[in-house]
Amino acid sequence: MPDPRTLTTAVTRDASASGSRSGSARHVGAFPSRARARRYGVLLVVLAVAAVAIAVGILAWDNPAPAGSDGFWRIAQLRVESLAVILVVACCQSIATITFQTVVGNRIVTPSLLGFESLYTAISTTMIFVFGVSGVLILQGVGAYLLQILLMLVFAGILYGWLLSGKYANVQIMLLVGIILGGALAAFSTFLQRLLTPTEFDLLTARLIGSVANADVAYLPYAVPLAALAIVALVWGGRRLDVIALGRPVALGLGVSHRRDSILALLAVSVLMAVSTSLIGPMTFFGFLVAMLTYQLADTYSHRRMFAMSWLVGFVVLGGAYFVMKHVFYAAGSVGIIVEIVGGTFFLVYLLRKGRL
């Protein structure tokens, strides 16, 4: 019978020889091969060019003033506000969805399951139910915007602190509780909506449809810093998210505090979702659509690289939809509806192809 030490030495020697022969084909990094890395770079450039083209189109297309004149730049300056809103929303929704799916370990779910949009709907419905048409004016302004963000963050903080810090902390239970609370808030909103007058209901419906037109430029000085802080925190912790994506046992084995890092990541997601939802209204499937496209195009598990591509994908999708609906169909207010229809269809196709949650 051969000596085990001899076999071990032989296997090690053979493995070393094999590694030296194939050393030129081995690659360590965010991509499985250099070809995949080049593909990522090419796609990133293509998306960047498309984003610039869409931005220029939004600013300059169908501008009645002569190019380069004072009137041209004044009209373009007004359109910059819509462009800034699209940039903020695309960044918030895309990065928040990818982070959330990583933490919960499921690429089907979205942050909307935790009830942010239902809470936004409940707040808007309650204000109009109590104060009537004047409730729309109360909901406008920087104070109301910051208050909605604060309520959403408190809601998320209680949810995470209660369900992820206890003895029986479980992400699945958190999702179930979020779905139940969201359903309860939606039922409460539906009950109040049935008691509204037709005029009040029309005003409320306009607020509950995700639209770039719902945003007020006065919110941006507060929305941009909040979103930037959350994004910087997520990008800085991108490597920890890479480890969390491997699963809780592996993350713990590699020395990552899975519970703490998950809660911090979800709090950053809450900030992004609160900023986006309070800015333009609910957009349930937009984040899912962008995340799925990013997974297919990026072909990497590096969250920092996925974040960069998802922002461009989100801007191309939302900005392109806004440009087409405004300048081709002259229905800019329907952008959210179109994006939701496309995103919902994409969700059903993906779910049917996967065959499971």
Side-chain angles (χ1 to χ4, degrees):
M1 181 176 181
D3 187 356
R5 290 176 295 180
T6 305
L7 289 176
T8 302
T9 304
V11 170
T12 304
R13 185 167 53 250
D14 291 342
S16 301
S18 176
S20 62
R21 288 193 300 269
S22 61
S24 58
R26 303 171 83 183
H27 178 73
V28 178
F31 301 93
S33 65
R34 291 184 176 86
R36 299 286 182 87
R38 287 194 296 270
R39 175 179 176 271
Y40 173 86
V42 171
L43 289 174
L44 205 64
V45 172
V46 171
L47 288 171
V49 171
V52 172
I54 291 172
V56 173
I58 292 175
L59 296 177
W61 187 271
D62 200 22
N63 192 321
S69 63
D70 291 339
F72 178 88
W73 292 115
R74 289 178 182 176
I75 294 175
Q77 186 176 2
L78 295 175
R79 297 180 178 183
V80 168
E81 299 174 0
S82 299
L83 189 63
V85 171
I86 294 172
L87 281 169
V88 172
V89 172
C91 189
C92 290
Q93 290 276 348
S94 58
I95 293 179
T97 303
I98 290 175
T99 303
F100 184 79
Q101 291 178 346
T102 296
V103 173
V104 301
N106 193 316
R107 290 187 174 183
I108 289 293
V109 298
T110 66
S112 301
L113 288 177
L114 296 182
F116 292 108
E117 295 174 356
S118 298
L119 181 60
Y120 173 85
T121 302
I123 293 172
S124 300
T125 304
T126 302
M127 295 299 293
I128 294 179
F129 175 78
V130 174
F131 297 101
V133 176
S134 59
V136 178
L137 299 177
I138 297 175
L139 289 171
Q140 297 176 353
V142 174
Y145 175 71
L146 295 177
L147 179 60
Q148 290 182 73
I149 292 178
L150 179 61
L151 290 175
M152 291 181 185
L153 292 180
V154 170
F155 176 80
I158 294 175
L159 190 63
Y160 301 150
W162 171 38
L163 295 176
L164 292 181
S165 299
K167 181 179 179 181
Y168 302 103
N170 190 294
V171 173
Q172 283 70 32
I173 294 178
M174 179 196 71
L175 290 175
L176 290 175
V177 172
I179 292 172
I180 293 172
L181 292 178
L185 290 172
F188 173 74
S189 300
T190 302
F191 171 74
L192 293 184
Q193 289 170 13
R194 292 182 177 275
L195 302 178
L196 298 177
T197 64
T199 302
E200 294 170 346
F201 184 79
D202 289 342
L203 292 173
L204 175 64
T205 302
R207 284 188 57 85
L208 299 184
I209 297 176
S211 174
V212 177
N214 288 341
D216 189 340
V217 68
Y219 301 161
L220 292 178
Y222 303 92
V224 172
L226 287 173
L229 287 174
I231 292 169
V232 168
L234 290 174
V235 172
W236 181 76
R239 295 187 183 278
R240 291 183 176 271
L241 289 175
D242 296 343
V243 178
I244 291 175
L246 298 175
R248 186 173 182 274
V250 177
L252 293 176
L254 293 175
V256 172
S257 178
H258 187 274
R259 181 181 300 179
R260 183 199 64 189
D261 290 342
S262 296
I263 292 176
L264 293 177
L266 289 174
L267 288 176
V269 169
S270 302
V271 173
L272 295 177
M273 290 300 298
V275 167
S276 173
T277 304
S278 299
L279 187 63
I280 69 169
M283 296 190 73
T284 305
F285 292 108
F286 173 63
F288 175 84
L289 174 62
V290 173
M292 290 300 103
L293 292 175
T294 301
Y295 296 145
Q296 299 299 319
L297 296 176
D299 196 18
T300 178
Y301 288 94
S302 172
H303 282 77
R304 292 178 179 177
R305 289 167 176 82
M306 284 194 291
F307 288 161
M309 180 167 282
S310 67
W311 190 359
L312 289 174
V313 172
F315 180 81
V316 169
V317 171
L318 186 58
Y322 178 79
F323 177 82
V324 171
M325 296 304 297
K326 181 176 182 179
H327 296 292
V328 177
F329 298 102
Y330 303 101
S334 302
V335 172
I337 298 175
I338 300 302
V339 171
E340 292 297 275
I341 292 174
V342 175
T345 304
F346 195 88
F347 175 84
L348 290 176
V349 171
Y350 180 84
L351 182 60
L352 291 175
R353 288 185 61 186
K354 190 175 181 181
R356 62 183 178 85
L357 293 174

